[in-house]
């Protein structure tokens, strides 16, 4: 494969940006302090399910290297802080879903498909086809050709569990949120291979590709909630879901920036802020913390608006909406905590003193 002049220019641009950030130190305050009035919750079966995930790894992850990488994610911790009070049988399914999210995405983000757009296209197309068979069997679609790479085998069990305990509308909403996520990942890889993206465009792309929407679309099944269609279509709900995605990707970008730079990748908000705004890495991190703080305030405002919108509904709908809103906050705060303490991103030596203040040397 030949390298075009545009490709060469981007590689030079990316290399210069990575080099300029090497050795810079970033001090990050305790991110959890942003979420005043909310206590981090964790599912009581998290530790037990962490051990049970070994079966998932051995069944679906082919190499020791990949399995060790998956363990560093600590998918049980992410699941345990996202879905904090679901029944144990559903929590088992959700742990498998979380482990699958990271394993599936890593193939594109930092695996065999990272620089291969043609194979990525097949990977995503076959993933969508496989999930339609598992999650929407009434469509009578066909499984992909055996032997094709798509890493979606876990959805045989996940899909079977989700065929019961929710409405067809809710199941379709979850399925469509996954397909939208795949398309966002497709677009994200294409952009990453082209060049450093403008900040506003990067934010919009990242909001769609962070996979928080499926984590919220599954809440009716996870908690047996009844949420009328008009509530999903309400502007306050759309704002709430967007702020979850915003908070999740910002926390993830801070925690993972060193990992990204070690892979010579600058598709992260801190390098993009440095590149576009001409600020230091520390100043970029400070900007991100302010963005997270404002996003949390916007989330609370959207939650209040949504509660007001459903105040004339029956008591059961109001109770379900309170569970939904609180679960959205579980996802934001749980992601912030898990991104900091899971071994995937930050070493224990990064933390000092009380709380979760940490230092990164890029």
């Amino acid at each position: 494969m030949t390298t075009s002049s545009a490709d060469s220019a981007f590689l030079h641009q990316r290399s210069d940006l990575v080099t300029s950030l090497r050795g810079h130190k970033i001090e990050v305050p305790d991110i959890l302090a942003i979420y005043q009035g909310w206590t981090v919750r964790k599912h009581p079966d998290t530790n037990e399910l962490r051990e049970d995930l070994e079966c998932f790894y051995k069944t679906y992850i082919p190499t020791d290297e990949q399995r060790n990488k998956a363990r560093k994610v600590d998918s049980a911790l992410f699941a345990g802080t996202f879905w904090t009070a679901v029944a144990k049988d559903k929590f088992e399914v959700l742990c498998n879903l979380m482990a699958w999210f990271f394993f599936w995405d890593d193939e594109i983000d930092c695996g065999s498909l990272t620089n291969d757009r043609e194979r990525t296209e097949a990977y995503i197309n076959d993933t969508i086809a496989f999930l339609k068979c598992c999650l929407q069997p009434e469509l009578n679609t066909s499984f992909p050709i055996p032997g094709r790479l798509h890493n979606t085998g876990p959805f045989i069990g996940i899909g079977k569990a989700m065929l019961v305990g929710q409405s067809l509308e809710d199941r379709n909403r979850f399925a469509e949120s996954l397909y939208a996520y795949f398309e966002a990942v497709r677009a994200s890889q294409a952009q990453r291979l082209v060049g450093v993206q403008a900040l506003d465009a990067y934010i919009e792309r990242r909001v769609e590709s962070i996979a928080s929407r499926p984590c919220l679309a599954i809440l009716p099944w996870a908690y047996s909630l009844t949420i009328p269609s008009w509530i999903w279509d309400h502007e306050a709900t759309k704002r709430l879901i967007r702020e979850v995605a915003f908070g999740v990707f910002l926390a993830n970008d801070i925690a993972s920036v060193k990992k990204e730079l070690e892979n010579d990748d600058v598709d992260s908000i801190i390098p993009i802020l440095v590149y576009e705004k001409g600020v230091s890495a520390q100043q970029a991190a400070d900007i991100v913390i302010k963005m997270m703080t404002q996003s949390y305030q916007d989330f609370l405002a959207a939650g209040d608006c949504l509660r007001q919108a459903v105040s004339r509904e029956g008591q059961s709908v109001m109770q379900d909406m309170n569970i939904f809103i609180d679960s959205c906050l579980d996802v934001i705060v749980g992601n912030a905590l898990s991104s900091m303490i899971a071994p995937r991103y930050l070493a224990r030596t990064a933390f000092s003193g009380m709380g979760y203040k940490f230092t990164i040397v890029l």
Side-chain angles (χ1 to χ4, degrees):
M1 180 183 295
T2 58
T3 302
S4 69
S5 59
D7 291 337
S8 298
F10 166 57
L11 292 173
H12 181 70
Q13 178 190 54
R14 180 169 65 183
S15 177
D16 285 350
L17 182 54
V18 170
T19 300
S20 72
L21 290 168
R22 295 282 191 212
H24 285 238
K25 183 171 70 172
I26 298 174
E27 294 185 355
V28 181
D30 187 343
I31 291 175
L32 297 186
I34 292 171
Y35 305 106
Q36 294 291 331
W38 188 256
T39 302
V40 178
R41 306 191 294 185
K42 187 170 73 170
H43 197 283
D45 296 311
T46 298
N47 291 339
E48 180 182 343
L49 266 295
R50 183 181 292 114
E51 297 178 4
D52 290 351
L53 277 174
E54 284 299 315
C55 180
F56 177 96
Y57 300 149
K58 292 175 182 177
T59 303
Y60 297 110
I61 302 181
T63 70
D64 286 338
E65 180 181 359
Q66 288 173 308
R67 285 190 285 269
N68 288 333
K69 188 175 183 180
R71 292 183 185 103
K72 289 183 178 179
V73 172
D74 198 350
S75 296
L77 178 62
F78 275 92
T81 54
F82 276 33
W83 302 290
T84 62
V86 300
K88 186 176 181 180
D89 60 334
K90 291 186 175 182
F91 186 52
E92 293 173 0
V93 175
L94 293 166
C95 280
N96 287 345
L97 175 66
M98 185 62 72
W100 170 81
F101 267 129
F102 281 100
F103 176 53
W104 185 90
D105 185 72
D106 275 354
E107 200 75 61
I108 297 174
D109 188 48
C110 52
S112 67
L113 304 178
T114 301
N115 297 304
D116 193 330
R117 290 181 65 175
E118 184 175 344
R119 289 180 64 224
T120 296
E121 289 290 319
Y123 183 72
I124 292 175
N125 292 341
D126 285 355
T127 295
I128 293 173
F130 196 96
L131 263 64
K132 282 186 176 180
C133 292
C134 296
L135 287 173
Q136 299 171 299
E138 62 277 358
L139 298 180
N140 295 315
T141 54
S142 299
F143 282 100
I145 298 171
R148 291 279 288 270
L149 175 67
H150 53 77
N151 288 336
T152 320
F155 261 87
I156 292 176
I158 294 169
K160 183 178 180 180
M162 293 195 67
L163 292 178
V164 296
Q166 65 178 328
S167 68
L168 177 61
E169 182 182 13
D170 284 335
R171 176 157 54 86
N172 286 339
R173 183 179 293 107
F174 173 66
E176 292 299 328
S177 74
L178 285 169
Y179 307 151
Y181 160 66
F182 300 142
E183 295 302 334
V185 171
R186 192 197 305 266
S188 188
Q189 192 216 34
Q191 175 59 44
R192 188 168 60 238
L193 296 175
V194 171
V196 181
Q197 193 171 26
L199 177 63
D200 289 345
Y202 171 77
I203 289 172
E204 293 307 311
R205 173 166 59 85
R206 196 77 167 96
V207 162
E208 298 300 325
S209 65
I210 195 60
S212 63
R213 293 179 191 270
C215 294
L216 304 184
I218 206 172
L219 287 173
W221 174 82
Y223 286 103
S224 300
L225 306 179
T226 299
I227 301 177
S229 296
W230 74 264
I231 294 178
W232 287 104
D233 295 333
H234 197 281
E235 286 303 313
T237 306
K238 294 178 182 178
R239 186 68 189 191
L240 203 76
I241 292 171
R242 177 181 172 82
E243 295 308 332
V244 173
F246 204 66
V248 168
F249 102 71
L250 290 175
N252 181 263
D253 274 18
I254 289 180
S256 67
V257 62
K258 182 178 178 69
K259 169 181 170 288
E260 299 298 327
L261 291 174
E262 287 175 344
N263 292 325
D264 291 328
D265 195 350
V266 294
D267 199 52
S268 178
I269 195 164
I270 288 178
I272 289 174
L273 280 167
V274 170
Y275 181 80
E276 182 168 310
K277 303 293 185 182
V279 297
S280 68
Q282 180 63 61
Q283 289 171 323
D286 294 342
I287 291 171
V288 175
I289 294 298
K290 290 179 181 178
M291 293 168 71
M292 293 177 69
T293 303
Q294 183 59 55
S295 177
Y296 178 50
Q297 296 305 313
D298 292 342
F299 173 91
L300 294 177
D304 289 343
C305 182
L306 189 53
R307 288 188 175 95
Q308 181 64 32
V310 301
S311 61
R312 295 183 180 180
E313 295 289 321
Q315 186 65 27
S316 62
V317 173
M318 293 179 63
Q319 288 176 346
D320 282 357
M321 286 313 304
N322 283 330
I323 293 172
F324 179 82
I325 294 169
D326 286 352
S327 298
C328 286
L329 194 48
D330 278 335
V331 172
I332 298 175
V333 182
N335 172 77
L337 174 68
S338 300
S339 295
M340 287 188 292
I341 67 177
R344 177 179 173 89
Y345 301 125
L346 297 170
R348 295 303 89 210
T349 54
F351 295 88
S352 60
M354 300 295 292
Y356 292 100
K357 178 181 178 180
F358 60 90
T359 302
I360 308 172
V361 179
L362 301 177

